[in-house]
PDB file of all heavy atoms in Angstrom:
ATOM      1  N   ILE A  43     104.148 128.911 124.020  1.00 82.00           N
ATOM      2  CA  ILE A  43     103.622 130.139 124.607  1.00 82.00           C
ATOM      3  C   ILE A  43     104.751 130.920 125.277  1.00 82.00           C
ATOM      4  O   ILE A  43     104.840 132.146 125.146  1.00 82.00           O
ATOM      5  CB  ILE A  43     102.503 129.815 125.620  1.00 82.00           C
ATOM      6  CG1 ILE A  43     101.283 129.240 124.885  1.00 82.00           C
ATOM      7  CG2 ILE A  43     102.121 131.057 126.419  1.00 82.00           C
ATOM      8  CD1 ILE A  43     100.171 128.802 125.807  1.00 82.00           C
ATOM      9  N   CYS A  48     108.629 135.572 125.130  1.00 90.00           N
ATOM     10  CA  CYS A  48     110.011 136.046 124.961  1.00 90.00           C
ATOM     11  C   CYS A  48     110.127 136.947 123.734  1.00 90.00           C
ATOM     12  O   CYS A  48     110.746 138.008 123.778  1.00 90.00           O
ATOM     13  CB  CYS A  48     110.963 134.863 124.832  1.00 90.00           C
ATOM     14  SG  CYS A  48     111.156 133.864 126.318  1.00 90.00           S
ATOM     15  N   GLU A  75     106.142 138.342 132.611  1.00 83.00           N
ATOM     16  CA  GLU A  75     104.778 138.860 132.723  1.00 83.00           C
ATOM     17  C   GLU A  75     103.816 137.684 132.640  1.00 83.00           C
ATOM     18  O   GLU A  75     103.875 136.910 131.690  1.00 83.00           O
ATOM     19  CB  GLU A  75     104.492 139.866 131.606  1.00 83.00           C
ATOM     20  CG  GLU A  75     103.132 140.517 131.721  1.00 83.00           C
ATOM     21  CD  GLU A  75     102.956 141.627 130.701  1.00 83.00           C
ATOM     22  OE1 GLU A  75     103.832 142.510 130.631  1.00 83.00           O
ATOM     23  OE2 GLU A  75     101.940 141.608 129.973  1.00 83.00           O
ATOM     24  N   VAL A 187     100.347 168.775 136.171  1.00 98.00           N
ATOM     25  CA  VAL A 187     101.671 168.279 136.533  1.00 98.00           C
ATOM     26  C   VAL A 187     102.284 169.164 137.611  1.00 98.00           C
ATOM     27  O   VAL A 187     101.883 170.309 137.810  1.00 98.00           O
ATOM     28  CB  VAL A 187     102.606 168.225 135.299  1.00 98.00           C
ATOM     29  CG1 VAL A 187     102.009 167.342 134.223  1.00 98.00           C
ATOM     30  CG2 VAL A 187     102.889 169.626 134.751  1.00 98.00           C
ATOM     31  N   LYS A 208     108.244 144.700 139.411  1.00 53.00           N
ATOM     32  CA  LYS A 208     107.017 144.278 140.066  1.00 53.00           C
ATOM     33  C   LYS A 208     105.841 145.101 139.561  1.00 53.00           C
ATOM     34  O   LYS A 208     104.718 144.640 139.500  1.00 53.00           O
ATOM     35  CB  LYS A 208     107.161 144.405 141.590  1.00 53.00           C
ATOM     36  CG  LYS A 208     108.102 143.381 142.194  1.00 53.00           C
ATOM     37  CD  LYS A 208     108.146 143.502 143.701  1.00 53.00           C
ATOM     38  CE  LYS A 208     109.077 142.460 144.293  1.00 53.00           C
ATOM     39  NZ  LYS A 208     109.150 142.561 145.771  1.00 53.00           N
ATOM     40  N   PRO A 210     105.126 147.009 136.156  1.00 72.00           N
ATOM     41  CA  PRO A 210     105.625 147.313 134.808  1.00 72.00           C
ATOM     42  C   PRO A 210     105.594 148.807 134.521  1.00 72.00           C
ATOM     43  O   PRO A 210     104.619 149.494 134.837  1.00 72.00           O
ATOM     44  CB  PRO A 210     104.643 146.548 133.910  1.00 72.00           C
ATOM     45  CG  PRO A 210     104.162 145.427 134.751  1.00 72.00           C
ATOM     46  CD  PRO A 210     104.072 145.983 136.146  1.00 72.00           C
ATOM     47  N   MET A 212     107.269 152.143 131.838  1.00 91.00           N
ATOM     48  CA  MET A 212     107.975 152.579 130.643  1.00 91.00           C
ATOM     49  C   MET A 212     109.056 153.572 131.063  1.00 91.00           C
ATOM     50  O   MET A 212     108.808 154.470 131.880  1.00 91.00           O
ATOM     51  CB  MET A 212     107.011 153.241 129.661  1.00 91.00           C
ATOM     52  CG  MET A 212     105.837 152.372 129.241  1.00 91.00           C
ATOM     53  SD  MET A 212     106.295 150.892 128.318  1.00 91.00           S
ATOM     54  CE  MET A 212     106.774 151.607 126.743  1.00 91.00           C
ATOM     55  N   LYS A 219     115.777 148.373 121.339  1.00 81.00           N
ATOM     56  CA  LYS A 219     114.425 147.835 121.432  1.00 81.00           C
ATOM     57  C   LYS A 219     113.399 148.867 121.892  1.00 81.00           C
ATOM     58  O   LYS A 219     112.204 148.583 121.899  1.00 81.00           O
ATOM     59  CB  LYS A 219     114.417 146.631 122.378  1.00 81.00           C
ATOM     60  CG  LYS A 219     115.224 145.451 121.850  1.00 81.00           C
ATOM     61  CD  LYS A 219     115.225 144.303 122.840  1.00 81.00           C
ATOM     62  CE  LYS A 219     116.055 143.141 122.309  1.00 81.00           C
ATOM     63  NZ  LYS A 219     116.127 142.021 123.286  1.00 81.00           N
ATOM     64  N   PHE A 227     103.102 169.353 123.916  1.00 98.00           N
ATOM     65  CA  PHE A 227     102.286 169.925 124.982  1.00 98.00           C
ATOM     66  C   PHE A 227     102.276 171.442 124.893  1.00 98.00           C
ATOM     67  O   PHE A 227     103.169 172.067 124.308  1.00 98.00           O
ATOM     68  CB  PHE A 227     102.800 169.485 126.359  1.00 98.00           C
ATOM     69  CG  PHE A 227     104.134 170.072 126.743  1.00 98.00           C
ATOM     70  CD1 PHE A 227     104.221 171.301 127.372  1.00 98.00           C
ATOM     71  CD2 PHE A 227     105.320 169.381 126.469  1.00 98.00           C
ATOM     72  CE1 PHE A 227     105.450 171.849 127.723  1.00 98.00           C
ATOM     73  CE2 PHE A 227     106.549 169.920 126.810  1.00 98.00           C
ATOM     74  CZ  PHE A 227     106.608 171.161 127.440  1.00 98.00           C
ATOM     75  N   ASN A 239     103.404 174.833 143.251  1.00 95.00           N
ATOM     76  CA  ASN A 239     103.193 175.278 141.880  1.00 95.00           C
ATOM     77  C   ASN A 239     102.841 174.095 140.983  1.00 95.00           C
ATOM     78  O   ASN A 239     103.412 173.010 141.111  1.00 95.00           O
ATOM     79  CB  ASN A 239     104.443 175.963 141.345  1.00 95.00           C
ATOM     80  CG  ASN A 239     104.776 177.228 142.107  1.00 95.00           C
ATOM     81  OD1 ASN A 239     103.884 177.878 142.673  1.00 95.00           O
ATOM     82  ND2 ASN A 239     106.046 177.601 142.137  1.00 95.00           N
ATOM     83  N   THR A 249     102.406 159.660 118.928  1.00 95.00           N
ATOM     84  CA  THR A 249     102.438 158.192 118.930  1.00 95.00           C
ATOM     85  C   THR A 249     101.567 157.744 120.098  1.00 95.00           C
ATOM     86  O   THR A 249     101.119 158.569 120.885  1.00 95.00           O
ATOM     87  CB  THR A 249     103.868 157.666 119.111  1.00 95.00           C
ATOM     88  OG1 THR A 249     104.427 158.244 120.309  1.00 95.00           O
ATOM     89  CG2 THR A 249     104.748 158.027 117.915  1.00 95.00           C
ATOM     90  N   LEU A 293      94.678 162.944 134.613  1.00 98.00           N
ATOM     91  CA  LEU A 293      94.893 162.777 133.181  1.00 98.00           C
ATOM     92  C   LEU A 293      93.559 162.404 132.545  1.00 98.00           C
ATOM     93  O   LEU A 293      92.928 161.433 132.947  1.00 98.00           O
ATOM     94  CB  LEU A 293      95.942 161.689 132.925  1.00 98.00           C
ATOM     95  CG  LEU A 293      96.433 161.516 131.486  1.00 98.00           C
ATOM     96  CD1 LEU A 293      97.088 162.789 130.969  1.00 98.00           C
ATOM     97  CD2 LEU A 293      97.428 160.354 131.403  1.00 98.00           C
ATOM     98  N   SER A 295      91.405 162.227 128.702  1.00 98.00           N
ATOM     99  CA  SER A 295      91.329 162.311 127.244  1.00 98.00           C
ATOM    100  C   SER A 295      90.136 163.200 126.887  1.00 98.00           C
ATOM    101  O   SER A 295      88.997 162.743 126.878  1.00 98.00           O
ATOM    102  CB  SER A 295      91.157 160.906 126.648  1.00 98.00           C
ATOM    103  OG  SER A 295      90.862 160.964 125.265  1.00 98.00           O
ATOM    104  N   GLN A 320      87.766 168.516 138.166  1.00 97.00           N
ATOM    105  CA  GLN A 320      87.316 169.906 138.298  1.00 97.00           C
ATOM    106  C   GLN A 320      87.474 170.379 139.742  1.00 97.00           C
ATOM    107  O   GLN A 320      87.880 171.522 140.002  1.00 97.00           O
ATOM    108  CB  GLN A 320      85.858 170.034 137.869  1.00 97.00           C
ATOM    109  CG  GLN A 320      85.606 169.847 136.385  1.00 97.00           C
ATOM    110  CD  GLN A 320      84.157 170.096 136.021  1.00 97.00           C
ATOM    111  OE1 GLN A 320      83.488 170.969 136.576  1.00 97.00           O
ATOM    112  NE2 GLN A 320      83.646 169.326 135.074  1.00 97.00           N
ATOM    113  N   LEU A 323      91.084 171.429 140.553  1.00 97.00           N
ATOM    114  CA  LEU A 323      91.422 172.760 140.032  1.00 97.00           C
ATOM    115  C   LEU A 323      90.774 173.859 140.869  1.00 97.00           C
ATOM    116  O   LEU A 323      91.392 174.913 141.124  1.00 97.00           O
ATOM    117  CB  LEU A 323      90.984 172.878 138.574  1.00 97.00           C
ATOM    118  CG  LEU A 323      91.708 171.973 137.577  1.00 97.00           C
ATOM    119  CD1 LEU A 323      91.191 172.206 136.168  1.00 97.00           C
ATOM    120  CD2 LEU A 323      93.214 172.178 137.626  1.00 97.00           C
ATOM    121  N   ALA A 328      92.475 177.588 140.477  1.00 94.00           N
ATOM    122  CA  ALA A 328      92.717 177.791 139.049  1.00 94.00           C
ATOM    123  C   ALA A 328      91.597 178.617 138.439  1.00 94.00           C
ATOM    124  O   ALA A 328      90.472 178.649 138.929  1.00 94.00           O
ATOM    125  CB  ALA A 328      92.815 176.439 138.347  1.00 94.00           C
TER     126      ALA A 328
END
Side-chain angles (χ1 to χ4, degrees):
I43 293 176
C48 292
E75 184 173 308
V187 302
K208 289 183 179 180
M212 303 296 288
K219 294 178 181 177
F227 69 87
N239 296 333
T249 55
L293 188 61
S295 170
Q320 291 185 36
L323 294 181

